[in-house]
Amino acid sequence: MKPTTLLPPLFAALLARSQSCPDYSLYSQQRHPPFSTGRYQLSSMRPSPACRTFNSSDVEDLLSRMSASVADPDLYRLFENSYPNTLDTAIRWRGAAADDPAEELTFVITGDIDAMWLRDSANQMQSYLPVLSRDNGSDSIAGLYRGVINLQARYLLTSPFCNSFQAPAESGIPPATNGAAAGDSVTPPYDPAAVFECKYELDSLAAFLEVSADYYEGTGDAGFFGRFKWLSAVRAVLDVAKSMRTTPTYGADGAVLESPYLFSRQTTRATETFANDGLGNPVANGTGLIRSGFRPSDDATVFQLFIPANMMFARYLEPTAEIVGKLGDKAPAGLAEEISALARELREAIETYGVVPLAPTPGGGGLGAAGETVYAYEVDGFGGAVIMDDANIPSLLAAPFFGYLNKSDATYQRTRKRILDADAVNGNPYFMRGPVINSVGGPHVGPGAAWPMASIVRILTSDDEAEISTALREIVSSTDGYGLIHESVNTFDAGRWTRQWFSWANGLFGQMILDLHNRKPHILKQSFQGCKSSTRRSVKKVL
């Protein structure tokens, strides 16, 4: 007779759940009753409590309280489905480091891929900042935050140029297969057993600082940052950023310099690889800006000096310096001052090289006067600039949301006006228009596909109540009855969309509703029962 093996209680519970709970990738492709009582009859998309990947009493209490604050039944259903979506579906594994049982780890997936993006997981956690406290109960949001920070630190110490990672060995989850990355040529090299994809994105480094700053803001727990690998990871982040700041394409004698990062991929999509055999388009010396290989959409930059990521990095360096200063002798001497100096220098570089004049407008048409300054999306330091915006955060539109500047800033307001207009001259080539939804999109999905995420950011950065109400009405009417925030929606057909399960965008929607509850609660008392689209033709695209 074989001896009985006693499973740890948490593992036993997870095993039982996996055997009885539906795969959310499939579950989220169908509509489920009870439906909302509004015009759109939105589906109930939350798994049963036993099948949720994390249950938080604080979030459940908040959902219950908000039912009295949101009058429109479809808007409330969308909030009810969306806000807890990361907790319901994306906390893929929680545990402790094999070499230190006190070191919490949280593996957070974006949706239908078993991999953890630095950027996405940081933003998924940010949605729960309103309920973050120092409480350490069994359903503590603080514990999730610490686990994300610790695991991100491990990832950055493993491959600091990379953006997306495999589950930790402790989880027992096998590495996910990334067919697109199978033939990648990347410098520095990485281990695919640890890394899902290695696209160097400055905003991914900023995301680690972001989730750290959010945890500190919500808990005041500076001591946590001195306990495990956080300081070493901050050093790794700074080293990568500085190497990508001080290495231009050409040396003083005109010779092509060796780049710290190279990326090339065999692909039919131009946005999936770097120009010039993995080097990227040339970058001038002396701007003080940091290069980024890829945008937060995971699309390659055109010009590597990507302004929104530099904004985000500068902004989150500031609280990072404060945290380091709180650690006293545990932190290396001079580190806080080094971080603060870099933040100041980056801000100066952004305002010097990232602000550009608009193009002349022949015949007086177009948006704005020639010479009027706006923020560029990307620059190269040679005078080249990309005038556009993309839906993914960080974006120029989102600059006040992540705290780089105030939304009343004059340069931002001029830039915002152009981001949200598709005029042929000086407008945004990726502002998508149509009868269903009007919003910023991007090359990741392509023309005609508006991203609700950008509509959410538009609301978060506006005080114009008509603008907010219009954007909310479009979002509520464009979920194709599923009651979840899709990645993108066709501007002429609400039944054509990509990604039914995109946890970051769902959490951001909930975050925005809570923001309106604080800033403009009367808007949540409005009706958002617009004209219902007669089309329901759902298209799932796994990216």
Side-chain angles (χ1 to χ4, degrees), residues 503-543:
S503 290
W504 173 16
N506 279 283
L508 186 67
F509 178 84
Q511 201 173 338
M512 175 268 293
I513 293 295
L514 295 176
D515 175 72
L516 286 179
H517 178 65
N518 291 329
R519 286 195 301 133
K520 297 180 179 293
H522 52 283
I523 289 180
L524 300 183
K525 297 296 186 182
Q526 296 176 8
S527 169
F528 295 94
Q529 302 291 297
C531 295
K532 183 177 181 180
S533 170
S534 60
T535 306
R536 174 167 291 143
R537 181 160 53 86
S538 304
V539 180
K540 178 190 172 189
K541 181 178 179 183
V542 178
L543 302 178

Side-chain angles (χ1 to χ4, degrees), residues 93-97 105-108 116 151 154-155 165-174 193-194:
W93 178 83
R94 295 174 63 216
L105 302 175
T106 305
F107 180 60
V108 183
M116 179 165 159
L151 189 52
R154 176 190 289 190
Y155 290 152
F165 295 84
Q166 305 283 9
E170 292 92 337
S171 70
I173 300 170

Side-chain angles (χ1 to χ4, degrees), residues 12 14 51 123 130 178 200-201 206 231 319-320 367 372 396 446 505 530:
L14 290 173
C51 292
N123 283 287
N178 186 354
Y200 161 63
E201 301 162 342
L231 282 166
T320 301
L367 289 170
E372 189 175 77
L396 294 175

